[in-house]
Amino acid sequence: MPRSGIEGQGSAEGRSRDPRGEISLLAVPLPAPAGGRIVNRRRFLKDLMTCVVSGGLFGGTLLKGVARASAIEAGKKPLYGFGVQVDKCIGCVRCVAACKNENNVPKEPFFFRTWVERYIIKQDGGTIVEAIGILPHQEAEVITEKNVLRSFNVPKLCNQCAHPPCVQVCPVGATFSTEDGVVLVNNKTCVGCRYCIQACPYGARYLHPETHTADKCTFCYHRIKKGLLPACVEVCPTQARLFGDLKSHASPLTRFKRMNKIHVLKPGLNTEPKVYYSSLDGEVR
Amino acid sequence: MTQKLYELLPQIGGYIYPNEIEIHWGLLIVVYPYVTGIVAGAFILASLVKVFNVKEVEPLYRLSLLTALAFLLVAPLPLLSHLGHPLRSYEMFLTPQTSSAMAMFGFVYAWYLMVVLLVEIWFVYRKDLIIWAEEEKPPMRWIHRALSLFSRDVSEKALEFDAKALKFITIIGIPSAFLLHGYVGFIFGSIKANPWWSSVLMPIVFLFSAIVSGVAIVIFLYMIIIPLLGKTIDMECLDKAASFLFYAVIVDFSLELLDFIHRIYESEESIKILSELVMNKLFLSLVIMQVLLGMLVPLGIMVIIKVFDFKDELRKLLYFVTVILIQIGIFSTRWNVVIGGQMFSKSFRGLTTYKMDITGLEGLLYSLALLILPFVILAILLKILPAWGKSGEEALES
């Protein structure tokens, strides 16, 4: 019996390449091992026919269902989103460092794909905001302000808007929205006019000093397409940053959206961000 | 470049997003709307003669067309010089993003240059070019013959057609000039992320300030070139042109005032930071240069000229001062829009600062060169296509 072929189909490699192959393998029952149980050729052929016909019917019926399910699955492209749990951010800025390392962001303190803002709200109503740890190897200063009413840290990144003003204004279409909801920049066609930087309400874009093209957070697109998490999410020690598929019920992001009151930045501009904040303070812009 | 940004760090007031330290659109982008505005304004002045039959300003007709052309030829240079990848700029023509206002620049520009300005100038000069080519010796003869596109028909019928064509092109030209500069205003006015820019009035304000700057520069050039040619300034023409300038300044001033009052009255989220911007960073360039020197003083002077009966020489002097002040004012307007719009953080919590370079593409010297270049081009154009004298003399006398 050609067992080896069937085993090959069911190998880990085959599974990861084609999830449908894995399911069909389960659906078609394996023929019973031959050996000494077969007394004669007629019996063998009869058994084989029964097996093939019943197995085919059973498997075929199942496969039909599987095929339908797969078609739905295939049509359901992911829509990536990002969650920020403001209350969990401790301002360690590991995310900022990880992002800079992962994405070749210049180390100088003027170029950021992500950063963390610290808000100090004082009792007299005054607000002090600073981007913490933006200088390399700089540790966040200890708060020396008196009469602090509340204080919190807010990670910021590209909001991957559903209506991105940056994409609207790009004269050559170098910046674009992918089907999975991420806004990317093609640095082979970007002319470096910086109109997108002007149009971004969140200050999330900068001009890369080496490529002279616009650059911004991509949700670490090269990582997420391999099933990995964005670098900033990966290193966050408190899970203040969450990433996932907005369409998937099982994604941590969906759970996050279900369990929290959600807010986005500058909702009045109708950009429809896909970075969702929980416990966001009204002071944050 | 990053060294320069380190120097700016201590000058930041309040909180700005960390990517906002760099002012992305510098002096070059100030020069761009200034130059384009002059194109539109000079063309509108020219159209006064052809469409609205204002005979008094006839001596300015050819000069204003050539001024528009000289400045239009320079208009794309600051934009190109500013790009991170100028060699990729052709992509805007090949694969334009239709939703982008900026992508339309190439088309608006090409339309204005090829369809409006060059065609109008050709029809204006066609008869003269033929006559000059016959009278002259090479090489001017060849140049004029080539420029006339080798046409030789100066019959009544042909000239009648020229006049009709001119009227038609000017009528197309007026909305085109509005489009050209209104569009530049739209580039800024449509950015909802920036409350200093985002205003529906922006294209209209740009348009009227364009008319102001265009008319003023043509008057300025007329007052310089005519004495240099040993001719006398036509005071009737000057008074009429100055009168148009006066009305244009009033409309421009009213629109800017309306925008100002509207902002203060609505008092939106951004009002605090914008007030700080105006009172600190832009006080000199906005309150003093743009409003006081560039608008109120010229308006005052023009009112005085209208009320009192000054002698020609004094009037000339006052007009000359006025048009120079207006140029300073309009350049400050462009500065305040472009640079001012980037000096406050979109977090509305802080102000950054702009430090102008002296050398380099973004530097003062290069921008000065770009501002001088149209005058050099105009001098060459006037050499090849005289605005007065020869058969252009009739225009001067009429």
Side-chain angles (χ1 to χ4, degrees):
Chain A
M1 292 298 292
R3 287 287 305 259
S4 61
I6 295 169
E7 273 171 4
Q9 267 184 39
S11 70
E13 193 189 344
R15 259 201 304 273
S16 68
R17 263 208 309 271
D18 182 12
R20 229 186 295 181
E22 178 194 5
I23 296 164
S24 62
L25 181 71
L26 293 172
V28 182
L30 290 175
R37 279 180 59 213
I38 301 168
V39 266
N40 57 42
R41 187 174 293 159
R42 184 183 294 262
R43 175 92 184 268
F44 167 70
L45 284 174
K46 200 180 161 191
D47 281 353
L48 187 68
M49 278 303 287
T50 315
C51 181
V52 166
V53 171
S54 63
L57 275 173
F58 179 64
T61 315
L62 257 186
L63 268 177
K64 210 177 157 190
V66 169
R68 201 188 301 129
S70 306
I72 295 167
E73 202 65 35
K76 204 176 166 188
K77 293 210 168 81
L79 184 69
Y80 295 119
F82 202 98
V84 178
Q85 309 196 66
V86 174
D87 282 349
K88 288 195 174 178
C89 180
I90 55 171
C92 66
V93 292
R94 280 167 191 236
C95 47
V96 180
C99 172
K100 286 213 172 198
N101 285 333
E102 180 70 30
N103 297 298
N104 295 323
V105 178
K107 296 288 181 285
E108 285 85 4
F110 320 109
F111 313 102
F112 292 89
R113 285 184 174 204
T114 185
W115 66 95
V116 179
E117 292 169 357
R118 181 167 71 187
Y119 285 73
I120 300 165
I121 319 286
K122 297 204 296 181
Q123 279 176 355
D124 62 6
T127 306
I128 299 167
V129 188
E130 62 173 333
I132 48 177
I134 64 166
L135 293 165
H137 315 299
Q138 182 203 36
E139 291 193 3
E141 283 174 40
V142 176
I143 302 173
T144 50
E145 292 293 330
K146 286 178 183 162
N147 305 323
V148 174
L149 195 63
R150 60 184 189 275
S151 177
F152 49 88
N153 302 309
V154 182
K156 291 274 187 85
L157 65 159
C158 168
N159 282 265
Q160 313 288 0
C161 311
H163 299 147
C166 52
V167 172
Q168 185 185 27
V169 302
C170 175
V172 292
T175 186
F176 57 97
S177 297
T178 64
E179 280 187 341
D180 35 26
V182 183
V183 177
L184 300 178
V185 183
N186 180 351
N187 67 9
K188 299 280 187 297
T189 52
C190 172
V191 293
C193 70
R194 312 180 186 212
Y195 201 16
C196 57
I197 302 175
Q198 306 289 6
C200 175
Y202 306 102
R205 286 175 167 252
Y206 64 92
L207 195 89
H208 199 292
E210 282 154 28
T211 62
H212 302 289
T213 53
D215 195 40
K216 62 176 274 294
C217 162
T218 60
F219 278 169
C220 284
Y221 203 66
H222 58 290
R223 289 174 59 90
I224 58 174
K225 292 317 275 182
K226 288 181 193 159
L228 301 169
L229 287 170
C232 57
V233 178
E234 185 88 43
V235 299
C236 180
T238 60
Q239 292 187 23
R241 289 171 179 253
L242 301 162
F243 176 78
D245 179 3
L246 289 164
K247 286 181 183 168
S248 161
H249 291 295
S251 107
L253 192 64
T254 308
R255 186 174 188 280
F256 163 73
K257 284 183 77 181
R258 197 167 58 233
M259 303 302 283
N260 292 282
K261 307 285 180 293
I262 297 294
H263 203 66
V264 292
L265 295 175
K266 303 191 179 184
L269 293 178
N270 193 32
T271 54
E272 295 195 2
K274 288 197 286 293
V275 173
Y276 304 95
Y277 287 83
S278 67
S279 317
L280 192 70
D281 195 277
E283 285 288 344
V284 181
R285 290 192 198 108
Chain B
M1 188 199 85
T2 46
Q3 188 53 42
K4 200 182 116 190
L5 295 177
Y6 274 108
E7 288 167 20
L8 291 177
L9 270 178
Q11 298 188 46
I12 293 164
Y15 172 70
I16 67 167
Y17 295 137
N19 289 331
E20 286 182 325
I21 295 171
E22 188 180 356
I23 296 271
H24 287 280
W25 287 354
L27 191 56
L28 283 174
I29 307 299
V30 178
V31 171
Y32 161 65
Y34 176 70
V35 167
T36 327
I38 288 176
V39 178
F43 187 85
I44 301 286
L45 178 62
S47 62
L48 280 179
V49 181
K50 285 291 157 204
V51 180
F52 302 105
N53 280 324
V54 184
K55 289 287 169 210
E56 292 93 330
V57 291
E58 180 90 36
L60 299 178
Y61 177 59
R62 291 179 173 205
L63 176 66
S64 42
L65 282 181
L66 295 181
T67 306
L69 180 61
F71 277 86
L72 190 64
L73 291 175
V74 176
L77 294 182
L79 284 187
L80 274 178
S81 314
H82 168 263
L83 290 182
H85 288 274
L87 294 178
R88 292 180 189 169
S89 58
Y90 68 93
E91 303 250 9
M92 288 194 210
F93 286 100
L94 298 184
T95 54
Q97 165 106 334
T98 45
S99 67
S100 167
M102 191 181 276
M104 296 302 114
F105 170 75
F107 300 101
V108 173
Y109 179 85
W111 165 267
Y112 197 75
L113 179 68
M114 303 295 181
V115 182
V116 177
L117 211 46
L118 286 181
V119 177
E120 172 146 356
I121 290 174
W122 188 76
F123 274 113
V124 170
Y125 278 94
R126 198 186 68 88
K127 180 189 152 198
D128 290 350
L129 286 170
I130 296 166
I131 295 169
W132 292 337
E134 275 168 12
E135 292 168 355
E136 286 162 344
K137 284 177 190 161
M140 279 311 270
R141 178 187 198 139
W142 300 331
I143 294 172
H144 283 149
R145 184 140 290 165
L147 286 178
S148 72
L149 302 179
F150 305 100
S151 72
R152 285 166 189 269
D153 191 355
V154 283
S155 64
E156 278 294 311
K157 210 176 157 192
L159 295 180
E160 220 170 85
F161 179 80
D162 284 357
K164 254 190 216 164
L166 266 181
K167 186 134 191 162
F168 179 69
I169 296 159
T170 319
I171 289 171
I172 298 178
I174 295 173
S176 302
F178 276 48
L179 179 71
L180 180 73
H181 207 62
Y183 148 83
V184 178
F186 187 80
I187 282 201
F188 294 97
S190 61
I191 297 296
K192 64 181 170 188
N194 189 321
W196 185 243
W197 290 345
S198 176
S199 160
V200 72
L201 273 182
M202 196 61 107
I204 317 273
V205 170
F206 260 62
L207 197 60
F208 276 91
S209 56
I211 295 173
V212 169
S213 69
V215 174
I217 209 149
V218 174
I219 296 176
F220 171 79
L221 286 166
Y222 179 73
M223 293 182 77
I224 286 186
I225 298 170
I226 290 293
L228 282 178
L229 293 174
K231 299 175 193 296
T232 45
I233 289 172
D234 180 344
M235 282 314 284
E236 204 186 336
C237 163
L238 201 58
D239 285 332
K240 195 77 186 173
S243 192
F244 276 109
L245 181 62
F246 176 65
Y247 299 127
V249 174
I250 286 183
V251 176
D252 185 31
F253 182 59
S254 314
L255 285 170
E256 283 181 31
L257 197 66
L258 175 63
D259 187 51
F260 179 73
I261 292 169
H262 185 255
R263 281 168 190 276
I264 300 221
Y265 195 82
E266 278 202 333
S267 225
E268 287 182 352
E269 193 184 13
S270 56
I271 193 70
K272 269 188 197 163
I273 195 73
L274 294 186
S275 317
E276 248 181 77
L277 175 77
V278 171
M279 295 320 283
N280 294 319
K281 302 279 178 182
L282 297 183
F283 190 80
L284 182 69
S285 62
L286 199 149
V287 181
I288 306 292
M289 307 256 283
Q290 181 186 329
V291 179
L292 194 67
L293 281 180
M295 212 160 256
L296 294 177
V297 174
L299 265 179
I301 294 177
M302 286 190 284
V303 168
I304 290 172
I305 295 174
K306 280 197 181 292
V307 172
F308 298 101
D309 194 15
F310 290 131
K311 283 192 178 134
D312 285 1
E313 284 310 306
L314 181 59
R315 254 191 3 257
K316 269 190 232 169
L317 179 70
L318 288 174
Y319 282 143
F320 198 68
V321 172
T322 304
V323 292
I324 289 175
L325 284 177
I326 280 177
Q327 289 309 318
I328 294 170
I330 298 292
F331 191 83
S332 306
T333 311
R334 308 297 181 230
W335 172 280
N336 293 325
V337 169
V338 177
I339 305 289
Q342 300 168 79
M343 285 215 279
F344 68 94
S345 168
K346 286 171 190 156
S347 68
F348 305 153
R349 289 188 183 278
L351 299 171
T352 179
T353 199
Y354 175 61
K355 195 168 171 241
M356 197 198 295
D357 292 335
I358 301 296
T359 54
L361 275 182
E362 288 282 341
L364 176 68
L365 295 178
Y366 183 70
S367 287
L368 275 178
L370 283 181
L371 287 174
I372 293 168
L373 189 58
F375 296 101
V376 177
I377 295 174
L378 181 65
I380 297 167
L381 284 175
L382 282 171
K383 206 84 189 159
I384 300 169
L385 303 168
W388 313 278
K390 295 192 191 172
S391 48
E393 191 83 47
E394 313 134 29
L396 188 64
E397 279 159 11
S398 71

